[in-house]
Amino acid sequence: MEKKKFYITTPIYYPSSNLHIGHTYCTVAADAMARFKRLQGYDVMFLTGTDEHGQKLQRIAEQNNVTPIEYIDRIVDGVKELWKTMEISYDDFIRTTEDRHVKRVQKIFMKLYEKGDIYKSSYEGLYCTPCESFWTETQLVDGKCPDCGRPVEKMKEEAYFFKLSKYQDRILELLETPGFLEPEARKNEMINFVKQGLDDLCISRSTFDWGIPVPIDEKHVIYVWLDALTNYITALGYPDEPEKYEKYWPADIHLVGKEIVRFHSIIWPAMLMSAELPLPKKIFGHGWILLEGGKMSKSRGNVVDPVVLINKYGVDALKYFLLREYSFGNDGVFTNEVLLNRLNSDLANDLGNLVSRTVSMIEKYDGGVIPNHDVTGEFDDDLIAVATGASARVEAYMDKMNYSAALDEIWAIVRRTNKYIDETTPWILAKNEADKGRLDTVMYNLAEAIRIISVLILPFMHHTSREIWKQLGIPEGEGTGWKDTFTFGLIKTGTRVEKGPALFPRIDIEKELAVLMSMEGTGNEKKADDKSDKKEEKKETSAEEPKAEITIDDFDKIELKTGKILECKKHPKADKLLISQVKMGDEVRQIVSGVAKFYTPEDMVGRTVTVVANLKPVKLRGEMSQGMILFADDADGSLKFVTTDAADGCTVK
Ligand code: MSP
């Protein structure tokens, strides 16, 4: 019989900088769902990728003095590496700069054009560059972009438009279809948005060229959302190699963050309606992971780096935490304390202890061999009912994208099984030879309940499942399938168990918090920055005070030279710093300066400056600095270069 198919996607991420735990969240959720469906026997297609065009990326690359593709290639390598570390089981990774995507997007554009749904006009609007979105006056919040809160600018340009308004009624009907857009709150938000009236959508730009050319007008590039959204079908080969497309489309679920629900539930279906293609079955808009101070952002320097946490606690622990701690449809706040408490209570105490106690007792009471189970007793029926009843409920929760409740359902078995140990008191049974039969059954039941748990957690934490199988002596494939979670009694009497290392070591939370506080990538960089800001402020004020006198010999120790700034870029990890390549005669040195508040990299390039040449080299936020460019405080509080007429490489006397 042909397997049922299941197609799931994540958004394609902007490779503007390395991804943080917020991006990881959606991908981990998609991965768990893909693994869950595979476990249930589905033929799964799981797609992720990167969204590589647009003005913002072009600008970032320019600031870094590289071509867009050079910049993007580096970030995309990092994204793929991250997914490898996190063991994300995607089936395909699409990059929108790939030929396969470019040519297919152009074909889709032509399809919509030939249908009469694309026309040329001019657009004047309020544009948010970072979000690449035009907004109407009424959509702004306090005059700023409603998505990111940054200022918008007025823009007018000739552009191609997609007749979104034509599809308004059908979109409204679609949004009202039960199950199409979840959670409910997002659905109501979108319905209200559409009811206010849909404007046609600008789908081309002519003020920059980092994009897919409009096939009928090479002055224009296709504006990002038509380019980005179509990835979900171009990756399947639509329209020229339709085999996979025909197999997997329509998608069962597009997982997206809440701020891009609008594009996925309104614009994307309208484009598909225009192309006369089937619509995705479900859009799910998940919440955001926030920090106590608000949004996580690279520019604010307060991101949580998933790799730092994986290196410390393991990939299973991080995945479990993300999906268990937060309710998927809502925002949640990340703190290290919440993370550590969750790892200790659920993983080290509940699950880890259960497995280690059980294996130890089987070793102690049964010589390490899973015994017979023919002396039933009180509590058995309840344990069996809880253990075999969970799968159906887990499935129901997963169908609703309620990961947290699904995991809680599995932990109900963990807790029930721990309680079963306390109720049956094996250590007392062991004292009386007459109770050996009952003791054996208790041991068997414990091992069997753990087997069911180990299969249920497979989509979320497969290393832990396999470690449990190893310790319980269960060969993969024997009682490790989804259907095996409905039946109690599959583990074989006579199986040899073997104690292994603790699944999750207990963490000393106080000590660990102190360690995390001092580390980068754990959400507290901002505080560290604040401290350094204060240090800098202090330095600035004390610079007003007269300094202690020095002798000419002291002064002589300073080697001042002239240098020409050849290149300059922003420091990738610190907003205040610029990194310059300074030519001083025959040598070129890298010098980091804290002047980004006053100068852009473009301002710096070409200047001939005065440099303290014999300053001991230091690393500033990971970047080597070999010297110091001198600046003078101007009366208006700005900084001015200490300039010179001399050529570079001269000694200043
Ligand atoms: N490129 C577009 C998506 C195009 S899909 C056809 C985009 N990229 S993004 O990199 O800015 O965001 C990708 C996803 O990451 C979004 O769904 C967004 O919600 C999610 N997240 C970014 N930061 C997040 C958190 N802090 N928490 C949870 N998800 C967040 O938008």
Side-chain angles (χ1 to χ4, degrees), residues 11-14 20 22-23 25 51 225 228-229 231-232 256-257 259-260 264 286-289:
I12 47 173
Y13 298 93
Y14 286 130
H20 55 62
H23 305 110
Y25 183 47
D51 185 0
W225 283 99
L229 289 161
N231 91 87
Y232 301 129
V256 298
E259 87 289 10
I260 55 172
H264 284 80
H286 64 78
W288 277 51
I289 297 196

Side-chain angles (χ1 to χ4, degrees), residues 10-11 13 21-31 255-257 286 328:
T10 71
Y13 298 93
I21 202 162
H23 305 110
T24 302
Y25 183 47
C26 183
T27 311
V28 163
D31 180 64
L255 276 191
V256 298
H286 64 78
F328 197 51

Side-chain angles (χ1 to χ4, degrees), residues 452-513:
I452 292 179
I453 294 164
S454 72
V455 180
L456 289 174
I457 61 173
L458 191 64
F460 307 93
M461 33 200 334
H462 63 99
H463 288 289
T464 308
S465 302
R466 295 202 161 85
E467 180 56 31
I468 293 175
W469 297 342
K470 197 168 151 208
Q471 296 199 23
L472 285 182
I474 303 174
E476 190 157 352
E478 290 184 22
T480 58
W482 173 251
K483 64 175 184 353
D484 303 323
T485 60
F486 293 84
T487 314
F488 203 91
L490 296 181
I491 200 163
K492 291 198 181 90
T493 295
T495 306
R496 179 157 287 282
V497 303
E498 189 188 346
K499 191 138 172 68
L503 293 179
F504 299 95
R506 236 192 110 68
I507 301 166
D508 180 333
I509 294 189
E510 234 168 82
K511 268 199 199 150
E512 192 69 7
L513 281 175

Side-chain angles (χ1 to χ4, degrees), residues 20-29 86 289 296 304 306 309-310 315-328 334 339 342-343 403-404 407 460:
H20 55 62
I21 202 162
H23 305 110
T24 302
Y25 183 47
C26 183
T27 311
V28 163
M86 300 209 66
I289 297 196
M296 220 175 283
V304 176
L309 300 179
I310 292 171
V315 69
D316 280 15
L318 181 64
K319 287 182 178 177
Y320 173 79
F321 166 75
L322 287 173
L323 296 178
R324 173 65 188 88
E325 184 64 38
Y326 303 106
S327 153
F328 197 51
F334 174 90
L339 167 74
R342 181 62 77 181
L343 301 192
Y403 295 92
S404 175
L407 283 166
F460 307 93

Side-chain angles (χ1 to χ4, degrees), residues 212-445:
I212 299 177
V214 168
I216 47 166
D217 188 343
E218 298 267 321
K219 277 205 317 285
H220 288 254
V221 291
I222 295 175
Y223 173 56
V224 284
W225 283 99
L226 174 61
D227 172 356
L229 289 161
T230 47
N231 91 87
Y232 301 129
I233 53 176
T234 62
L236 297 180
Y238 181 86
D240 53 316
E241 282 178 51
E243 197 185 319
K244 267 197 192 159
Y245 166 80
E246 270 151 23
K247 182 168 179 198
Y248 291 110
W249 190 256
D252 290 87
I253 181 145
H254 290 314
L255 276 191
V256 298
K258 59 178 184 177
E259 87 289 10
I260 55 172
V261 162
R262 189 164 64 93
F263 303 101
H264 284 80
S265 64
I266 298 174
I267 295 172
W268 177 223
M271 286 174 180
L272 290 164
M273 286 171 186
S274 173
E276 295 172 24
L277 299 176
L279 307 178
K281 293 182 198 160
K282 188 192 289 299
I283 314 291
F284 191 97
H286 64 78
W288 277 51
I289 297 196
L290 304 169
L291 293 177
E292 278 168 318
K295 266 189 182 175
M296 220 175 283
S297 91
K298 194 83 187 171
S299 54
R300 287 164 63 174
N302 63 347
V303 294
V304 176
D305 181 350
V307 176
V308 171
L309 300 179
I310 292 171
N311 288 343
K312 285 189 90 38
Y313 313 113
V315 69
D316 280 15
L318 181 64
K319 287 182 178 177
Y320 173 79
F321 166 75
L322 287 173
L323 296 178
R324 173 65 188 88
E325 184 64 38
Y326 303 106
S327 153
F328 197 51
N330 302 323
D331 289 348
V333 175
F334 174 90
T335 69
N336 289 314
E337 199 166 357
V338 171
L339 167 74
L340 299 181
N341 279 324
R342 181 62 77 181
L343 301 192
N344 257 4
S345 70
D346 296 13
L347 299 183
N349 286 359
D350 291 351
L351 180 62
N353 262 350
L354 173 64
V355 173
S356 110
R357 280 165 94 189
T358 302
V359 176
S360 297
M361 287 191 291
I362 295 174
E363 285 188 338
K364 185 165 169 195
Y365 303 136
D366 290 295
V369 173
I370 293 181
N372 278 322
H373 52 113
D374 35 29
V375 185
T376 55
E378 206 188 348
F379 313 114
D380 293 5
D381 287 348
D382 191 46
L383 176 76
I384 294 169
V386 172
T388 54
S391 335
R393 286 189 291 269
V394 168
E395 183 175 5
Y397 283 127
M398 289 299 274
D399 282 344
K400 291 194 192 122
M401 311 302 293
N402 192 342
Y403 295 92
S404 175
L407 283 166
D408 196 42
E409 200 58 58
I410 303 171
W411 255 251
I413 320 179
V414 176
R415 288 189 295 268
R416 181 67 193 88
T417 314
N418 270 322
K419 189 166 158 223
Y420 180 79
I421 300 179
D422 299 338
E423 291 163 341
T424 53
T425 58
W427 51 95
I428 295 176
L429 295 176
K431 288 194 177 135
N432 193 343
E433 194 48 40
D435 290 330
K436 179 72 172 80
R438 178 64 189 144
L439 176 65
D440 285 353
T441 305
V442 168
M443 290 302 113
Y444 182 91
N445 288 348

